[in-house]
Amino acid sequence: MSNSVQQSGGGAGKSQGVPSPRQLVSALVADGLLTDPDSPRGRLLNAAARLFEQKGFARTTVRDIAAEVGILSGSIFHHFASKEEILCGVMREVTVFARARMEQAVARAGTPRQQLRACIVCELEAIHGLAVPGFSILVVEWRSLSPQSQKRVLRLRDDYEQLWRDVIAAAGNPCEDPALARRLLLGALTHTHTWFKPRSRGLSLPELADRVLQLFAPAG
């Protein structure tokens, strides 16, 4: 996962007993779920994620990625068979970290409604680039993956979405269909990237999360 996650507080808490983003990354690396960001492969994934976000997948070349980490472009193929495989790797790592971070937030929350708010906050922070570097790539570059690579990422994405559905069901969403509620929430949250700027409408991001929560899980 990106070194910027380890160096940034993102939206994760740093109070006593709450793992920091750096600690979460380290734990996921130790469990074999994330690539060590200091390894050659990890440095390539991090560089690619930054460039894919800045320039887009199509406009980023293998030479660009190699130059970003200071190696010859041919050296990349010791770690990845193609640029598309790098993109798939970035998406998988981003999905794993985003889910682990959200699961951590849900575990810290008290009531089912607070757990739903935690999910909303986590996803808003990721969408707005405050906590999960590369999250926008999951949406913007999805069609750049081959069908086979999409299936690999979807297996992880399903775990992420299942956590959402479980939390929505426990919170008792009025529509009584967690899958439908999640689709509606996903569309609403993702679209905020095009119009929401913190305080531009007199709202902070946590306050926006409160408004969304009230719409999808009104307080009883």
Side-chain angles (χ1 to χ4, degrees):
M1 193 59 214
S2 172
N3 281 315
S4 59
V5 169
Q6 296 193 64
Q7 294 165 359
S8 166
K14 292 186 178 180
S15 60
Q16 187 174 6
V18 177
S20 68
R22 178 185 292 273
Q23 291 170 325
L24 178 58
V25 169
S26 296
L28 292 170
V29 169
D31 289 341
L33 298 175
L34 284 186
T35 303
D36 183 347
D38 294 322
S39 69
R41 182 182 174 90
R43 291 175 61 224
L44 287 169
L45 286 169
N46 295 336
R50 289 192 298 272
L51 291 170
F52 293 158
E53 280 199 306
Q54 294 167 7
K55 301 174 61 174
F57 176 74
R59 292 193 298 275
T60 299
T61 67
V62 169
R63 183 171 295 180
D64 291 333
I65 299 170
E68 187 79 1
V69 296
I71 62 174
L72 296 174
S73 57
S75 299
I76 285 181
F77 299 108
H78 292 297
H79 304 279
F80 301 96
S82 65
K83 188 176 74 165
E84 193 242 342
E85 186 176 301
I86 299 174
L87 175 62
C88 182
V90 167
M91 288 188 171
R92 294 180 70 198
E93 300 252 327
V94 168
T95 303
V96 167
F97 180 77
R99 189 195 186 283
R101 182 174 178 273
M102 191 165 68
E103 185 175 42
Q104 185 185 82
V106 168
R108 294 199 304 266
T111 67
R113 193 166 184 273
Q114 290 171 338
Q115 292 176 348
L116 179 55
R117 183 185 184 277
C119 288
I120 293 170
V121 170
C122 281
E123 190 151 285
L124 282 173
E125 288 176 340
I127 288 167
H128 290 273
L130 302 177
V132 186
F135 193 83
S136 65
I137 296 171
L138 294 173
V139 178
V140 177
E141 301 294 355
W142 180 251
R143 293 183 180 180
S144 298
L145 289 178
S146 66
Q148 182 178 4
S149 292
Q150 286 182 0
K151 289 179 181 178
R152 293 172 65 192
V153 177
L154 275 175
R155 284 195 290 269
L156 294 172
R157 181 76 185 190
D158 285 345
D159 290 340
Y160 178 84
E161 293 298 330
Q162 187 60 55
L163 177 56
W164 263 106
R165 291 190 293 269
D166 291 345
V167 170
I168 289 170
N173 185 267
C175 80
E176 298 181 354
D177 184 341
L180 175 59
R182 170 54 185 155
R183 292 191 187 98
L184 293 171
L185 261 171
L186 177 61
L189 296 178
T190 301
H191 189 60
T192 64
H193 188 269
T194 66
W195 63 266
F196 178 76
K197 303 297 179 188
R199 293 297 177 191
S200 64
R201 293 174 177 264
L203 290 174
S204 65
L205 191 144
E207 289 168 341
L208 176 63
D210 288 333
R211 301 291 180 88
V212 175
L213 180 65
Q214 185 58 31
L215 286 172
F216 282 86

